[in-house]
Amino acid sequence: MFGGGLPEAWPYAAVVLHYLDGFEAEFRRAVETSETFFSLLEKDRSFDVVKVLNGSNLIKVIVKETNLQSFSEKLKSKGVLLRSPNEALGGFVVNVNPTWNRTNAETLAELFKESVG
């Protein structure tokens, strides 16, 4: 798997060991926050949320009737960074990770709703 690179891989292992304690609890909290956030977005007609069957930390958020680039820029100005817009999808692929613990679902959903249009 690592081939001849194993002797060079120790810095990556050191980083993992540094963040390993508590990661599971942090990730669980992030998933809970994201689930609340996605349920709030699903109630708004401007958004569709498409989850992968049997789970994934990648969720598709479709933003209806808006310029995706402008939407992304408005969120960025409010401190929310998204991947590049996926024009074919009509939205964004959102990654659930521990950075979700920096805010709450209600605040994040409001920022998304304010950035439409």
Side-chain angles (χ1 to χ4, degrees), residues 34-49:
S34 73
E35 288 174 351
T36 302
F37 166 76
F38 292 128
S39 71
L40 291 169
L41 278 194
E42 287 176 321
K43 293 176 184 175
D44 189 295
R45 63 178 184 79
S46 297
F47 301 95
D48 280 332
V49 177

Side-chain angles (χ1 to χ4, degrees), residues 19 26 29-30 33-34 78-81 97-105 107-108 111:
Y19 289 101
E26 278 194 52
R29 249 183 44 229
T33 299
S34 73
K78 298 171 186 181
V80 179
L81 302 177
N97 59 54
T99 63
W100 285 69
N101 298 328
R102 297 177 185 167
T103 188
N104 63 61
T107 299
L108 191 56
L111 293 174

